[in-house]
Amino acid sequence: MLKSLYIKNYALIDSLEIDFEPGFSVITGETGAGKSIILGALSLILGQRADAKAIKQGESKCIIEGQFEISAYHLENFFAEREIDYDANCCMRRELLSSGKSRAFINDTPVTLTDLKELGSMLIDIHSQHQNLLLGDSRFQMQIVDALAGNRDLIRDYQLSFRQYREVQKALDELKEALKQSKEEEDYLRFQYEALKEAALTEGEQEELEAELETLNHAEDIKSALYKVYNLLADDEHGAVPSLKEVLNTTHPLSRIFTKAEEIIQRVETAYIDLKDLSAEVERLAGDVEFNPDRLSFIESRLDTIYTLQKKHNVSSVAELITLYQELSRKIEAIETSDEQLTVLEKELQQKTETMLALAKKLTASRKAIIPQFEKDLIAKAAYLGMPNIRFQCEVNALEQPNVCGTDDIVFQFSANKNVPLQPVANIASGGEISRIMLCLKSMIAGASALPTIIFDEIDTGVSGEIADKMGSIMKDMSKDMQVLAITHLPQIAAKGNAHYLVYKQDDDKTTTTHLRRLDDGERLKEVARMLSGSVLTDAAMENAKVMLGF
C-alpha cells in the first residue's frame, strides 16, 4: 500500500509530504484546486513519461518520492533479478531536471523507467476518467476476463510461446524469400564462381607479374646497363675493384711507418670486399636477364585475365577477387543446403505452432469457464447500482489467426433497458452507465488480482444521489482487502472514507501553490457540508453532513 508521498517543486507544489492510511480514503477539493497535479506527480514514480515543463517555475529540479509497504506481495524475485536491495518499506523516487533528463530510483538504487513502471504496475492502479473509454477496447475486455480467470501465468507462458512462434515464422519467411532470389540468380552466381575458380588467383600475384613484365619488356636495356656497371666495378684497367686492390697494396707497407694508415687499410678492405661481392652479383643478374617471348606472352595473357575480372567485378586488386570468390562459394553452398535448412525451420515452426495453440486452447477453456459467473456477478453489481434491467453477455469468438492474446476475440454485449437488443457496450452505454460498469469491473478484478492500491479519479462522473451512495459502498467494501483512494466531487462518496484529504490552493502576491492535507473531524464535517450546499454553508447542509458522517 501507499504509505506516504513527498513532492517538491512539481507544477504548483512547493513542497508537500502526506501520509496515507489503509482502507478507504477520499480526496476532495474545488475544481481546479490541483487534484490532477497530485495524480500527475504520482504517475511519475509509476514510470510515466516526464516533461520538464512540469518543474515548478524558477526551479531546476523536482523530486517525487513514494513510500510503499510491500511485505505481503511476494516481490522478492523482482528485486533479486535486478540486484536491488529488498526492503518491506520500499521507496520509489523520480527526479526530473530542467534539462529534460530524469532519474529513477528504487530503494536508492538507480533503475530504468521500465523497471519503475513494472514495479508500479504491481503496486497501484490509477483509474482516471479517460480509462472509461477503454471499456469498448477488445484488449481491455480480454484483460478483464483474464484477470478474473487468474490467467496471469498462463498468459505469460502463451505470450512467450507466441513470440517464439513469430520469430521462427519470420526466419522461415526470410529464408524462403532469400532462397527465391538465390534460385533466380543461381546460374549467374555459378558462372561467376567458375570463372574465378578457373583463374586460380593467388595473393600478390598481380604485383609480381607486373614487375616481371616490366623486366621482360626492357631486357636488352637492363642487360646492357648491368654489364656496364660490372665493367665499371671490375674492369682490370679502370674498374673500382682493381683500383681498391692497388690502394691496399700501396697502403700496407705504409702502415709500418705510419700508424694511422691501419685505419685507412681497414676501411678500404671493407669497401673492397663489398664492391667485389657487388660486382659478382651484378654479373650474375646480367647473365639472368634474358628476353623470353614465351614467358612474355604468358604474363601478358595472365594479366589480361586479371584485369578483365577486376573490371567485370568493379574491384582493383586480386585480394578483392579472392574475397568475392569466397563469398560466391558460400552463397552457392547455402543454395545447395537450402532444402535442409528449410526442412529444419518448417519442422521447428510446426513444433512452435503446436505448443502455442495448445496454450491458446487452455486460455480459451479458462476464459469460457469463468464467463458465466462473470456475467452473473456483473449483472448483480450493476443492478445494485441502479441498472435493474441490465443484460450483459461476454462473447468469445474464434480468430482466424492467433495474436498476442491467443485465438479469442472477446466482445462485451450490453443493454440497459428492456426490449433493447444487445450491442457492443461502447456503442450504447451512457457516461453514467459506463462509470458504474467500470466500477463493477474494477471491484471484481481488484479482488482477483490482489493489487495493493487502487485510485479512482472521479469514477463517479454522471451519477448522483442514491447511486453515488452505493458506489461509495462498493469502494468501501473493496477497501477491506486493499487500499482504496477516491478523488470525488460527491458528498455521498466522500462521507464513506475512513480518512478525508483536501486539495486546495493558496495565493499570495507572487505565486499560487497547491496543498494537500488530511482533515480532522470538524474540518471534514464542513467540507462535506460545502459539497452539499456550495460555498455558503447552511444549517441544513451541516445537519445532513452530520447524518452522512454518522456524527
Side-chain angles (χ1 to χ4, degrees), residues 195-237:
L196 289 169
K197 181 180 180 182
E198 185 180 349
L201 301 170
T202 59
E203 192 80 39
E205 177 183 7
Q206 180 180 351
E207 292 77 6
E208 292 176 4
L209 290 173
E210 287 173 341
E212 188 176 354
L213 178 64
E214 191 71 15
T215 298
L216 287 173
N217 282 332
H218 299 87
E220 292 302 323
D221 294 338
I222 294 170
K223 194 176 187 72
S224 175
L226 287 174
Y227 274 124
K228 183 177 181 179
V229 171
Y230 172 74
N231 288 329
L232 290 171
L233 290 171
D235 181 73
D236 291 338
E237 294 185 8

Side-chain angles (χ1 to χ4, degrees), residues 290-446:
E290 295 290 344
F291 178 72
N292 186 337
D294 292 338
R295 180 63 180 171
L296 178 64
S297 177
F298 168 79
I299 291 173
E300 288 177 338
S301 175
R302 183 65 174 166
L303 285 173
D304 182 63
T305 297
I306 292 173
Y307 296 150
T308 300
L309 288 171
Q310 288 176 345
K311 183 176 181 181
K312 179 180 179 180
H313 296 290
N314 194 30
V315 297
S316 59
S317 69
V318 169
E320 291 174 290
L321 288 174
I322 292 173
T323 299
L324 177 60
Y325 170 72
Q326 293 168 343
E327 290 176 356
L328 289 170
S329 178
R330 285 193 293 269
K331 286 183 178 180
I332 292 170
E333 183 181 1
I335 293 172
E336 291 172 345
T337 61
S338 60
D339 290 340
E340 297 175 14
Q341 297 176 37
L342 203 61
T343 300
V344 169
L345 275 179
E346 286 174 341
K347 185 176 180 180
E348 186 179 358
L349 180 62
Q350 182 180 357
Q351 293 172 342
K352 297 297 184 186
T353 302
E354 290 173 356
T355 301
M356 175 195 65
L357 291 178
L359 289 168
K361 188 176 180 180
K362 289 183 180 180
L363 274 174
T364 299
S366 177
R367 289 161 180 165
K368 287 183 176 179
I370 198 66
I371 282 174
Q373 189 63 46
F374 168 41
E375 293 172 339
K376 180 180 177 181
D377 290 347
L378 181 66
I379 289 171
K381 285 181 177 291
Y384 174 73
L385 292 179
M387 301 169 70
N389 298 316
I390 183 177
R391 285 182 295 142
F392 176 79
Q393 183 175 320
C394 178
E395 289 186 355
V396 180
N397 302 311
L399 296 171
E400 292 185 5
Q401 295 293 329
N403 62 23
V404 72
C405 293
T407 54
D408 304 322
D409 177 44
I410 287 183
V411 180
F412 288 178
Q413 301 278 12
F414 170 83
S415 174
N417 303 301
K418 292 180 179 180
N419 303 319
V420 176
L422 289 167
Q423 294 185 44
V425 63
N427 294 352
I428 59 171
S430 67
E433 289 167 344
I434 287 179
S435 293
R436 283 176 277 176
I437 292 172
M438 284 298 288
L439 179 59
C440 293
L441 292 173
K442 289 286 184 176
S443 68
M444 292 166 70
I445 63 174

